[in-house]
Amino acid sequence: MKIYSKVHLPNIDNYKKYIDKIYKAGWITNDGKLKNELEKKLKKFLKVKNVILVANGSIGLQIAYKCLKLTGNVITTPFSYVATSNTLVWEGLEPKFVDISKKTLNIDEDLIQKKIDKKTSAILPVHVFGNPCNVEKIEKIAKKNKLKVIYDASHAFNTTYKGQSVLSYGDISVVSFHATKIFHTIEGGALITNNDNLANKIRMLSNFGKNKKKDFQILGINAKMNEFQAAMGLCNLSEFNKLLKIRKKIWYLYFKKLRYYFLFQDFNKFSSPNFSYFPLVFSNEKQLKKTFNILLKKRIYLRRYFYPSLESLSFNNNYGTCKNSNIIAKKIVCLPISSDLDIKNQNMIIKLIINSIKAKKIIN
Ligand SMILES: *Cc1c(COP(=O)(O)O)cnc(C)c1O
């Protein structure tokens, strides 16, 4: 049997009910009823002001850049999925990578100021593995330098910061609802903003630039979420709290048994995690590869999130390496964490890992 982070498929009868509704209505995309229902439910669930659903997280980021009229370069992190910087480059913007903190794995806020130049128009931090950045510090830097802030909040669904959704920070936050994420719509994503004017503009931009009178006044693109995606989202949302409980249990079992052998990401103390990832930092890449292959032989698949460090990619600028990001990227993996992982298999994974590192406990 293969063991990996499996995609969650919701109750099929529930999904079928929605499919019946779609067939009955004869309406499959273009501002559909289910899409609107999901937006409304997410707004309530997350307690945020505006939610605009889109076809995927990447196009969501691109729309955010267009909406805020970004130019020149954008400060971002090299320790993320390629989508973070690819979307910038795709839109003719230059990613300016700032190294990460080895502790939080997020962009090091203290290094941002000195990377800002005349051509910088925005900061694009990532809440890596759902760990909120220091949003107050980032807001201060942005204000002082008159920069926009867009959060790539792909991992931060349901994450709170000081009691409210972390998605309500920045000019715009973008979350991904891809199949691999903790909450998914097959492919999908959403833009979150407190600003109603920006929300209206985002709606136009993601629907060919059409306004309410169906005139084309601004240049738009097609980023619409269709009804089958929305139906998947409605089903997954109804199961979310149940799944969160299961994932929390899995997360804590890993933590309980592995905490003596590894160091872990420093989690923002004002935040509540969403248990979407269980990252594990090895002492070096050789050790990681050894463990990786031992588990692979048992058909257990670990995910190398995130490798490589983004500044090392040929299509990104290379002003030298980001040291911490490079070191971390080479020795970090995420363990399987999905609701179907049973305790027997999880214990096997833990045992194999501990045996593979022949480790002494690092903490008592
Ligand atoms: C998943 C992900 C994205 C892209 O989302 P898609 O919906 O797959 O386009 C962007 N940034 C990060 C950090 C991600 O993990």
Side-chain angles (χ1 to χ4, degrees):
M1 197 184 74
K2 254 163 106 168
I3 302 174
Y4 59 101
S5 284
K6 280 198 193 93
V7 62
H8 176 72
L9 288 170
N11 179 293
I12 193 164
D13 293 325
N14 199 15
Y15 195 57
K16 279 178 181 162
K17 267 185 219 154
Y18 281 109
I19 302 299
D20 285 344
K21 270 193 193 177
I22 296 171
Y23 268 70
K24 220 175 195 173
W27 191 285
I28 59 177
T29 187
N30 285 1
D31 207 25
K33 264 193 186 146
L34 298 181
K35 192 268 299 175
N36 288 330
E37 187 182 333
L38 182 59
E39 276 184 356
K40 227 187 245 166
K41 285 194 169 154
L42 286 172
K43 219 171 97 163
K44 206 170 147 200
F45 182 81
L46 299 166
K47 300 191 185 77
V48 291
K49 202 158 172 223
N50 295 286
V51 175
I52 302 102
L53 288 166
V54 287
N56 61 68
S58 298
I59 194 81
L61 286 166
Q62 286 166 257
I63 283 175
Y65 311 153
K66 279 280 198 281
C67 182
L68 297 169
K69 295 192 170 134
L70 303 194
T71 55
N73 67 58
V74 174
I75 303 276
T76 191
T77 173
F79 187 67
S80 182
Y81 189 57
V82 284
T84 308
S85 52
N86 279 14
T87 48
L88 289 171
V89 177
W90 198 267
E91 291 297 336
L93 298 159
E94 184 186 20
K96 216 163 183 212
F97 295 107
V98 166
D99 205 359
I100 57 165
S101 146
K102 272 202 257 187
K103 291 186 169 163
T104 66
L105 307 183
N106 287 329
I107 193 166
D108 186 339
E109 295 90 359
D110 294 331
L111 302 178
I112 293 177
Q113 182 63 52
K114 62 177 180 234
K115 283 271 180 153
I116 295 169
D117 63 27
K118 275 191 227 139
K119 288 189 168 168
T120 308
S121 59
I123 311 174
L124 172 69
V126 180
H127 304 299
V128 175
F129 305 134
N131 185 24
C133 297
N134 188 331
V135 287
E136 279 122 6
K137 223 179 216 174
I138 289 169
E139 197 171 304
K140 228 175 173 179
I141 299 166
K143 265 209 178 116
K144 188 175 150 208
N145 298 277
K146 297 196 171 66
L147 303 178
K148 305 288 184 195
V149 179
I150 297 164
Y151 281 103
D152 179 340
S154 289
H155 303 172
F157 184 80
N158 199 48
T159 302
T160 60
Y161 177 77
K162 292 187 177 170
Q164 65 170 338
S165 172
V166 77
L167 301 175
S168 56
Y169 285 88
D171 294 286
I172 300 172
S173 276
V174 181
V175 58
S176 165
F177 298 152
H178 181 258
T180 52
K181 308 299 202 259
I182 188 167
F183 166 77
H184 78 85
T185 58
I186 308 171
E187 293 271 359
L191 290 90
I192 318 286
T193 178
N194 294 328
N195 182 322
D196 294 339
N197 291 330
L198 287 183
N200 284 335
K201 195 170 164 196
I202 291 164
R203 285 191 193 286
M204 284 199 270
L205 287 171
S206 52
N207 186 22
F208 302 108
K210 248 190 270 187
N211 66 10
K212 285 212 171 100
K213 291 184 197 146
K214 310 225 158 139
D215 295 328
F216 301 100
Q217 282 170 344
I218 55 170
L219 175 72
I221 195 79
N222 179 4
K224 287 169 284 152
M225 175 177 281
N226 70 50
E227 291 293 89
F228 294 87
Q229 288 172 290
M232 182 58 76
L234 286 164
C235 293
N236 279 332
L237 191 61
S238 72
E239 296 180 19
F240 185 80
N241 285 328
K242 187 184 80 192
L243 285 179
L244 191 68
K245 261 191 211 151
I246 300 171
R247 297 179 75 109
K248 187 174 174 177
K249 240 176 150 170
I250 295 172
W251 197 97
Y252 275 108
L253 183 64
Y254 276 138
F255 185 66
K256 197 175 110 193
K257 301 223 172 153
L258 293 170
R259 60 187 290 200
Y260 302 110
Y261 304 95
F262 294 90
L263 295 171
F264 292 94
Q265 180 184 30
D266 262 8
F267 219 84
N268 191 316
K269 64 175 187 283
F270 299 111
S271 163
S272 71
N274 64 9
F275 309 104
S276 33
Y277 299 90
F278 195 91
L280 204 54
V281 182
F282 285 81
S283 50
N284 55 57
E285 191 176 24
K286 202 173 147 207
Q287 182 61 64
L288 177 149
K289 282 186 173 163
K290 187 181 158 198
T291 305
F292 192 94
N293 288 324
I294 288 172
L295 271 71
L296 197 61
K297 277 191 197 131
K298 301 269 180 195
R299 307 188 73 200
I300 301 162
Y301 297 82
L302 307 183
R303 289 204 159 120
R304 286 194 77 174
Y305 291 153
F306 295 103
Y307 178 82
S309 186
L310 297 175
E311 90 282 5
S312 68
L313 295 170
S314 64
F315 42 82
N316 287 333
N317 55 35
N318 190 351
Y319 300 130
T321 48
C322 294
K323 201 169 147 233
N324 288 344
S325 175
N326 242 271
I327 293 170
I328 295 288
K330 286 188 177 130
K331 57 182 196 177
I332 192 167
V333 286
C334 286
L335 303 188
I337 183 164
S338 52
S339 49
D340 67 331
L341 181 64
D342 65 32
I343 194 157
K344 200 175 118 251
N345 283 331
Q346 199 189 350
N347 277 324
M348 177 175 73
I349 293 171
I350 292 165
K351 212 169 141 193
L352 284 167
I353 291 172
I354 293 174
N355 288 342
S356 76
I357 59 171
K358 291 199 184 75
K360 292 188 190 88
K361 290 187 179 182
I362 55 167
I363 327 164
N364 291 315

